[in-house]
Amino acid sequence: MSPFTPAALRGLLEAAGILEGGFEGLIRYNEPLAAHTTFKVGGPADCWLQPRGNCFPACAAALLREARRRAVPVFILGGGANLVVADRGIRGLVLDTGAWTGWEFAPGGDSLLVRSGVPGDSLPDVLAGAGRGGLEFLAGMPGSVGGMVWMNARAQERSVSDALMETE
């Protein structure tokens, strides 16, 4: 039995201001994580939330601050690739970055700004559509950009760190 009840976690979300009018996204208690991993295995998260749209950065920051203050663990979930979650699930909060998507070319067009929830294997097509290349090694690789950066994904003698310029 988890010490993090839905009522206690709801209180954390309220204290962080996440349940106020500006939140866009999904919040679920006892959410089966099998629905969020490529291997389709995993028990429940005490609380799973997926902020969407422009509220993501502020919601994530507020959530992390309040969780730290209350000593509640937070697991940050990307695309769920190469992740096996135990049948007992994950205690505390699961912050799903999957809806933090979008990309744009930086002013001058020399680099691509990408949010963490973007599927990594979409980037070669994005660049090819703009007449550019350099990330072909990501084609067919499962997972999100955030996860690929976190684990420094590697294929065909290239790593994400070979192309990464900066993170925020």
Side-chain angles (χ1 to χ4, degrees):
M1 177 72 82
S2 174
F4 305 109
T5 65
L9 294 169
R10 211 172 3 263
L12 183 153
L13 297 177
E14 286 173 1
I18 290 173
L19 298 182
E20 295 173 3
F23 179 78
E24 298 173 47
L26 302 171
I27 299 173
R28 296 184 183 143
Y29 299 92
N30 298 310
E31 173 72 356
L33 291 174
H36 305 283
T37 65
T38 58
F39 292 130
K40 302 300 180 200
V41 297
D46 290 336
C47 179
W48 170 89
L49 67 155
Q50 185 183 63
R52 296 179 184 264
N54 291 330
C55 85
F56 185 91
C59 288
L63 175 77
L64 293 170
R65 273 192 305 273
E66 189 62 24
R68 178 177 289 146
R69 193 179 78 69
R70 295 178 184 224
V72 173
V74 178
F75 180 85
I76 299 176
L77 177 65
N82 299 320
L83 177 65
V84 176
V85 177
D87 290 342
R88 69 180 174 276
I90 296 179
R91 304 293 58 94
L93 299 163
V94 173
L95 175 60
D96 188 326
T97 66
W100 182 232
T101 60
W103 55 266
E104 64 184 270
F105 283 95
D110 293 338
S111 59
L112 185 64
L113 307 172
V114 184
R115 292 179 174 170
S116 64
V118 170
D121 69 347
S122 70
L123 295 181
D125 291 335
V126 168
L127 290 174
R132 296 186 171 98
L135 296 178
E136 294 81 6
F137 71 99
L138 296 178
M141 192 179 292
S144 65
V145 168
M148 290 177 172
V149 169
W150 176 257
M151 64 178 278
N152 194 24
R154 181 174 179 76
Q156 303 172 19
E157 305 298 320
R158 300 257 344 258
S159 298
V160 168
S161 62
D162 295 332
L164 181 67
M165 295 173 63
E166 179 180 355
T167 65
E168 289 184 15

